[in-house]
Amino acid sequence: MSGRTRAAGRGPAPGAGRVVVVGAGLSGLACALHLRGAGREVVVVEREPHPGGRAGRLDLDGFRLDTGPTVLTMPELLDEALAAVGESTADRLDLVPLSPAYRAAFADGSVIDVHTDREAMAAEVARVAGEREAEGYLRLRDWLTRLYRVEMRSFIDARCDSPLDLVRPDLFRLAALGGFGRLAPAVGRRVRDERLRRIFSFQSLYAGVAPERALAAYAVIAYMDTVAGVYFPRGGMRALGDALAGAFTKAGGAVRYGEAVTRLERSGDRVTAVITEGGDRLACDHVVLTADLPAAHRLLGHEPRRPVRIRHSPSAVVLHLGTDRTWDALGHHTISFGAAWESTFSEIIREGRTMSDPSLLVTQPTRTDPALAPEGRHLLYVLAPAPNLAAGDVDWDREGPRYRDSLVRTLEERGLDGLDASVRTEHLVTPADWARQGLAHGTPFSLSHTFAQTGPFRPGNTVPGTSNAVLAGCGTRPGVGLPTVLISGKLAAARVLAGGGRR
């Protein structure tokens, strides 16, 4: 039985059947931990030879690459999943708080270090933009904190199946905070400096919406980045999947690696078994599907009808560079902003082309953990937002290498002199590569967070016509991002424990 791992642990709850979780990504593992902690028998089936899902990995010439997300916030959600089986983050991970959380570099040559400590960031804002802006920052921070508290307890970490579920006291508190306005103006009312406005609104792009059009409610992403804190696990982001999977198997759960799921066996409105590529039949009382939504729907043989067309987020080009030097200007995370701003969103989202003056996220994990590269070497992860395959018609297999050269030239012009000559190994990922991994429209960011795809209007984690199948992951509620996929897994587990899907 290929790649099967089983650890001794508690037995199944009396009268409870087996749950099969398809996918050992972070949502699937969080779900499995919560179910195992409740005493359910759980088997996780994963097509890759390791856990993590989109938090992937690649070892190349002695460099240990994280191929998925690089920013970790809200580690208490990891702790919550691990606590379900009696463990903690401290048992499994060595998390390093990053200070600054980001370094923001601008086209005019100015640099702002983004601190999560209130006084340190106020002092930094005063240094670069004056006392008046520092006071505005403090107002912005307080607003972000109040917004987060309202949204987390009632709309993010909560079951929200229909618009009627929104009608609760916190809905009116959210409205009073301006959560249903637009993000960019909401930030702009508190800070006037254009650089600060960018720092506290660029995150909306990863939710698939330009700041001028995004709901102000999505400022909670900026809260997570700039107030709650950014962390990095020693060993790389791959350590997250290893930690969750290790705790799960220690608690008696089973993970079967290297086994793709090809179909679901059904009887009436119930899924009775999961069939793997190798022909194994895993009988189940419930199934949790964490694959990209189109793949999950193909397995279910059901494509739900929606009154409006599904919209996917922009994609990204990621360039991994193993170098023989580093640059003092780089932090662990550096946001390199171009002079252009609003036009970049239009180019990616509306015009379907690459940014003419790109804003880039450059991560140098070896600044925090040198062991991720051979001695004397350094690792860079360059993320450039890009149109998804539905929005644009870029021939990435042809244009990818040219775009790689363009990105390197841009970074050299912005201060990373000699970057190209320093490269000793590299790996390029384009939207075409994401598509080959099975991600719809070649985007790792799934569905965009438009109003019509937010809260109860986002695809839910139950499946009409199927009574015991539950969905989890970034395409379902509450949405995209490491914190939200962990919550998605927890909400999926609660569904199973409450009796399953929609009848």
Side-chain angles (χ1 to χ4, degrees):
M1 198 170 290
S2 171
R4 188 169 182 176
T5 305
R6 188 180 294 276
R10 69 196 79 177
R18 172 194 279 175
V19 182
V20 176
V21 177
V22 179
L26 300 185
S27 65
L29 291 171
C31 179
L33 283 164
H34 285 288
L35 289 171
R36 190 69 198 128
R40 299 298 294 266
E41 179 187 0
V42 187
V43 178
V44 179
V45 186
E46 169 57 49
R47 68 180 181 181
E48 299 296 331
H50 51 72
R54 297 187 199 196
R57 62 183 71 180
L58 175 67
D59 293 337
L60 189 64
D61 300 330
F63 293 87
R64 302 177 68 194
L65 281 58
D66 288 324
T67 60
T70 63
V71 179
L72 172 61
T73 61
M74 311 298 292
E76 60 268 27
L77 295 171
L78 290 167
D79 207 49
E80 184 180 25
L82 292 166
V85 295
E87 296 204 34
S88 70
T89 305
D91 297 329
R92 292 279 173 177
L93 293 164
D94 180 6
L95 295 183
V96 180
L98 299 182
S99 183
Y102 294 96
R103 174 163 291 163
F106 298 90
D108 63 2
S110 61
V111 173
I112 300 176
D113 283 340
V114 181
H115 299 279
T116 54
D117 177 79
R118 180 185 179 92
E119 300 308 318
M121 187 59 188
E124 178 72 351
V125 172
R127 179 187 69 81
V128 298
E131 291 294 339
R132 182 173 178 173
E133 287 296 270
E135 293 172 4
Y137 157 72
L138 293 174
R139 290 194 299 272
L140 176 62
R141 182 187 177 100
D142 290 344
W143 176 70
L144 292 173
T145 302
R146 286 181 285 137
L147 201 67
Y148 168 78
R149 289 171 179 165
V150 168
E151 291 189 49
M152 179 57 80
R153 68 182 175 229
S154 290
F155 305 110
I156 298 176
D157 192 4
R159 185 164 147 176
C160 196
D161 291 335
S162 82
L164 292 177
D165 291 330
L166 294 174
V167 183
R168 55 188 74 176
D170 275 341
L171 176 67
F172 304 103
R173 296 187 182 99
L174 182 59
L177 287 168
F180 297 109
R182 297 299 174 186
L183 175 61
V187 172
R189 283 193 293 272
R190 292 163 174 90
V191 289
R192 297 184 178 183
D193 190 287
E194 176 65 23
R195 296 167 298 179
L196 297 175
R197 293 183 181 191
R198 293 190 187 191
I199 286 171
F200 291 99
S201 65
F202 81 91
Q203 298 89 348
S204 73
L205 184 59
Y206 303 116
V209 188
E212 291 290 341
R213 298 180 62 83
L215 289 175
Y218 283 106
V220 295
I221 308 174
Y223 169 88
M224 294 174 186
D225 280 1
T226 66
V227 178
V230 177
Y231 297 80
F232 186 73
R234 292 196 187 278
M237 297 292 281
R238 68 178 66 190
L240 303 180
D242 291 338
L244 297 181
F248 172 65
T249 55
K250 182 181 177 182
V255 184
R256 298 171 60 139
Y257 294 111
E259 297 192 33
V261 171
T262 56
R263 66 184 180 92
L264 304 178
E265 180 183 284
R266 298 181 63 124
S267 177
D269 70 348
R270 297 187 64 79
V271 175
T272 55
V274 171
I275 311 301
T276 70
E277 193 172 42
D280 284 348
R281 180 184 182 276
L282 304 176
C284 61
D285 186 58
H286 286 87
V287 63
V288 180
L289 303 174
T290 70
D292 206 33
L293 279 184
H297 290 143
R298 282 194 296 272
L299 284 173
L300 290 163
H302 173 78
E303 184 67 35
R305 294 180 179 178
R306 286 179 59 86
V308 294
R309 179 176 62 89
I310 286 286
R311 287 182 55 186
H312 282 74
S313 294
S315 184
V317 172
V318 176
L319 177 59
H320 301 272
L321 300 174
T323 68
D324 64 8
R325 60 167 292 190
T326 186
W327 293 264
D328 291 340
L330 290 177
H332 183 110
H333 294 299
T334 301
I335 311 166
S336 175
F337 288 105
W341 184 235
E342 292 183 13
S343 63
T344 63
F345 300 102
S346 178
E347 287 170 341
I348 296 167
I349 297 173
R350 297 183 184 179
E351 300 170 29
R353 59 191 181 92
T354 57
M355 296 175 286
S356 55
D357 184 16
S359 290
L360 308 170
L361 172 63
V362 182
T363 296
Q364 185 179 216
T366 45
R367 181 171 286 277
T368 303
D369 188 355
L372 297 174
E375 187 174 358
R377 298 288 192 259
H378 306 273
L379 188 56
L380 300 183
Y381 170 112
V382 181
L383 184 148
N388 65 42
L389 297 182
D393 58 358
V394 180
D395 182 347
W396 284 107
D397 290 331
R398 184 186 67 191
E399 296 297 329
R402 298 178 191 173
Y403 192 57
R404 174 268 182 209
D405 292 343
S406 175
L407 292 175
V408 170
R409 281 195 305 272
T410 295
L411 290 171
E412 288 186 328
E413 291 166 359
R414 295 180 184 177
L416 302 191
D417 55 290
L419 173 59
D420 203 17
S422 76
V423 174
R424 293 295 168 262
T425 193
E426 64 183 271
H427 179 66
L428 179 70
V429 184
T430 73
D433 296 310
W434 298 120
R436 282 188 277 267
Q437 292 179 31
L439 300 180
H441 300 303
T443 175
F445 302 117
S446 192
L447 306 188
S448 62
H449 283 266
T450 60
F451 180 81
Q453 294 177 173
T454 293
F457 308 113
R458 194 170 183 82
N461 59 7
T462 59
V463 181
T466 304
S467 63
N468 65 335
V470 179
L471 305 177
C474 60
T476 62
R477 301 167 193 150
V480 176
L482 279 182
T484 40
V485 299
L486 291 169
I487 292 171
S488 176
K490 180 178 74 168
L491 295 177
R495 274 292 181 196
V496 171
L497 294 172
R502 183 175 300 157
R503 295 183 184 276

